[in-house]
């Protein structure tokens, strides 16, 4: 089975073709980061217009890379939510229209299920059950996963997502949007322990997170200690250590609560090297295993949508002719796949 995946939920146009026997046949990604950089964040209307410009040429390029013609596909998967409504509508409309023209099923995909399943694209895919840590620009969630579509939310951020906290703190440190990866790079030059940031909500039971206080803590630390290069690096280090520590503490709790031995991390922040190392060390000590995707499949991409679409199509999901996108869409609402 061969599926074309279309991702346009935010500021990346991602197009990929996945073949269940041969793996990934094509993967095209266009990032709008430069377009939004002047505004310090994603401008929804500009994002939609850029997806309109890029989606069809990238599909053409992916088909060419894979050496395929229209008749060679078995389905077209598109991100139907959650995300920016105008941006979602571009991918959904192109995907649905192409599927109609090529007489194949169209499969609406949940963006976070895409992230969650991205580690399945790697050589050593996780078996069920596992605890998933979804850490991205818009989500911080711990989920119990017992099968495809068998998702129970264990805890989530009550305010900023982890990626959002990285980006906001990076901005305070004078780094460009999205600053998460650059903050992490700066933190490598930082002195461990010069500053200590709080580990929010770890002093009480439960699996929820709160990251909005960390940017205020960062702002106050900058204010009180100046803004020279070493101080900025030390603040970045203290911030990253606090986020990683907090995520690790809650992952450990979720593993104890569920009794699961496997931990899957997904979403943009799962590309963070300090977090990966910390969770790998923790799982080794616990006699378990951690799984994550290669860095380019942690952030938004078409491959994860093609893969999730294939799993869903095999499970009997296919969209109607009318197009519906869902800017908000809880993951736990997805039906299980037998
Ligand atoms: N190495 C890194 N360290 C920390 N944060 C990172 C790193 N790489 C990416 N990020 C963060 O990941 C986020 C982008 O991830 P992703 O593309 O999964 O999010 P999104 O699609 O915007 O949100 P969502 O998937 O929740 O809709 C940004 O906040 C970015 O700063
Ligand atoms: Mg995403």
């Amino acid at each position: 089975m061969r599926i074309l995946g279309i991702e346009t939920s935010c500021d990346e146009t991602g197009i990929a073709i996945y073949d269940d026997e041969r793996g990934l046949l094509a993967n095209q990604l266009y990032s709008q980061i430069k377009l939004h950089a002047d505004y310090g964040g994603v401008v929804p209307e500009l994002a939609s217009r850029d997806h309109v410009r890029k989606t069809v040429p990238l599909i053409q390029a992916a088909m060419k890379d894979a050496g395929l013609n229209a008749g060679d596909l078995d389905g077209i998967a598109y991100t139907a939510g959650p995300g920016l409504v105008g941006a979602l509508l571009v991918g959904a409309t192109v995907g649905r229209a192409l599927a109609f023209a090529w007489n194949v099923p169209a499969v609406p995909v949940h963006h976070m299920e895409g992230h969650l399943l991205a580690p399945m694209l790697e050589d050593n895919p996780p078996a069920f059950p596992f605890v998933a840590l979804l850490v991205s620009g818009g989500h911080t969630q711990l989920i119990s996963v017992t099968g495809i579509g068998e998702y129970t939310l264990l805890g989530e951020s009550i305010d900023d997502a982890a990626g959002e906290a990285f980006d906001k703190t990076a901005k305070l440190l004078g780094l460009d949007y999205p600053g998460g990866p650059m903050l992490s790079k700066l933190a490598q030059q930082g002195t461990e322990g010069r500053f200590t940031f709080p580990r929010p909500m770890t002093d009480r039971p439960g699996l929820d997170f709160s990251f909005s206080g960390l940017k205020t803590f960062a702002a106050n630390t900058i204010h009180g200690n100046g803004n020279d290069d070493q101080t900025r690096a030390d603040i970045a280090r203290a911030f990253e250590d606090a986020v990683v520590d907090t995520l690790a503490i809650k992952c450990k709790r979720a593993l104890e609560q569920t009794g699961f031995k496997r931990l899957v991390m997904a979403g943009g922040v799962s590309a963070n090297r300090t977090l990966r190392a910390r969770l790998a060390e923790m799982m080794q000590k616990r006699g378990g295993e951690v799984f994550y995707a290669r860095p380019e499949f942690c952030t938004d991409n078409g491959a994860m949508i093609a893969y999730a679409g294939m799993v869903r199509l095999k499970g009997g999901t296919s969209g109607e002719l009318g197009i519906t996108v869902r800017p908000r869409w809880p993951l736990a609402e997805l039906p299980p796949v037998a």
Side-chain angles (χ1 to χ4, degrees):
M1 184 183 271
R2 242 175 259 131
I3 303 285
L4 173 75
I6 305 175
E7 157 61 37
T8 65
S9 69
C10 190
D11 58 347
E12 256 108 21
T13 317
I15 306 292
I17 299 168
Y18 187 82
D19 179 311
D20 62 353
E21 282 171 14
R22 292 163 61 206
L24 210 56
L25 303 183
N27 183 43
Q28 291 278 337
L29 187 76
Y30 171 78
S31 171
Q32 303 179 348
I33 282 176
K34 281 202 196 96
L35 176 74
H36 302 289
D38 287 349
Y39 305 92
V42 178
V43 183
E45 178 61 24
L46 295 183
S48 308
R49 291 184 203 177
D50 221 30
H51 286 307
V52 170
R53 274 190 287 270
K54 293 292 176 189
T55 305
V56 173
L58 287 181
I59 292 172
Q60 274 179 323
M63 294 293 280
K64 193 166 168 239
D65 287 351
L68 298 180
N69 296 309
D72 300 327
L73 291 172
D74 299 292
I76 298 179
Y78 59 85
T79 304
L84 302 169
V85 65
L88 288 167
L89 277 169
V90 178
T93 308
V94 172
R96 179 63 267 188
L98 265 185
F100 181 72
W102 291 349
N103 198 26
V104 291
V107 191
V109 169
H110 191 294
H111 180 78
M112 299 313 293
E113 183 169 64
H115 277 304
L116 181 77
L117 299 181
M120 303 277 184
L121 290 161
E122 302 303 336
D123 287 341
N124 174 29
F128 301 111
F130 55 77
V131 167
L133 173 69
L134 284 182
V135 270
S136 59
H139 294 78
T140 303
Q141 297 183 326
L142 276 165
I143 296 162
S144 151
V145 182
T146 52
I148 302 284
E150 297 174 30
Y151 309 134
T152 310
L153 184 66
L154 303 172
E156 64 182 332
S157 179
I158 57 168
D159 43 53
D160 291 356
E164 192 180 355
F166 263 96
D167 296 338
K168 286 178 176 171
T169 303
K171 197 172 183 182
L172 291 171
L173 291 168
L175 303 169
D176 286 339
Y177 178 84
M182 275 180 279
L183 185 152
S184 184
K185 210 168 159 205
L186 183 62
Q188 283 169 24
Q189 261 80 61
T191 320
E192 186 185 359
R194 176 172 168 207
F195 301 111
T196 305
F197 278 43
R199 273 62 173 158
M201 294 181 77
T202 53
D203 57 351
R204 68 198 84 167
L207 293 169
D208 285 339
F209 303 91
S210 166
F211 289 114
S212 70
L214 289 181
K215 64 171 187 294
T216 316
F217 202 90
N220 292 339
T221 311
I222 294 167
H223 188 69
N225 293 275
N227 207 5
D228 62 278
D229 286 351
Q230 189 58 51
T231 299
R232 287 168 61 248
D234 294 345
I235 291 171
R237 174 72 188 257
F239 169 83
E240 185 175 65
D241 284 349
V243 173
V244 167
D245 213 26
T246 304
L247 292 171
I249 290 168
K250 299 278 167 140
C251 284
K252 185 164 171 255
R253 269 188 211 171
L255 291 160
E256 280 162 4
Q257 188 176 313
T258 54
F260 297 165
K261 293 256 178 239
R262 284 175 285 263
L263 177 67
V264 169
M265 40 192 305
V269 181
S270 71
N272 185 278
R273 282 207 243 154
T274 312
L275 181 64
R276 286 175 176 225
R278 175 66 190 275
L279 295 182
E281 188 195 314
M282 181 181 93
M283 291 314 285
Q284 202 184 7
K285 275 193 198 144
R286 297 178 62 84
E289 213 180 334
V290 67
F291 300 84
Y292 37 72
R294 70 196 85 165
E296 65 264 40
F297 291 166
C298 291
T299 43
D300 291 352
N301 65 87
M304 67 184 195
I305 301 306
Y307 182 83
M310 189 199 68
V311 172
R312 284 284 165 189
L313 184 60
K314 283 185 174 176
T317 309
S318 84
E320 297 160 357
L321 265 186
I323 297 160
T324 311
V325 295
R326 290 188 62 179
R328 288 176 180 278
W329 188 2
L331 190 62
E333 283 183 15
L334 287 180
V337 165

